[in-house]
Amino acid sequence: MVGYAVVLAQRGQAAGRPEARLAGALLTGALTDLAAILDQRFLHTGGPPTTVFAAYAADHGRDGTQP
């Protein structure tokens, strides 16, 4: 589901409506914070959120492309 949330955040930031852009920015910030916590406590990739989420998906038997 994290991959879907990333897509929503990107779409929100690219939206025409200011409130959708704000929501996209807030979701992006929350996902960045989540990635940092996952990486610091469990995964230790040292990479950007995309790398952390891919490692998280792999750790849970997923390829990261499906919800």
Side-chain angles (χ1 to χ4, degrees):
M1 297 311 298
V2 171
Y4 183 63
V6 170
V7 170
L8 286 177
Q10 291 169 342
R11 288 182 182 176
Q13 288 183 307
R17 295 173 53 189
E19 58 272 16
R21 287 194 307 272
L22 175 60
L26 291 172
L27 183 54
T28 296
L31 290 168
T32 300
D33 291 347
L34 173 61
I37 291 168
L38 287 173
D39 203 39
Q40 289 171 359
R41 294 186 184 174
F42 306 108
L43 299 168
H44 312 290
T45 69
T50 53
T51 301
V52 174
F53 292 141
Y56 181 79
D59 192 54
H60 287 83
R62 306 278 181 159
D63 67 6
T65 62
Q66 302 174 36

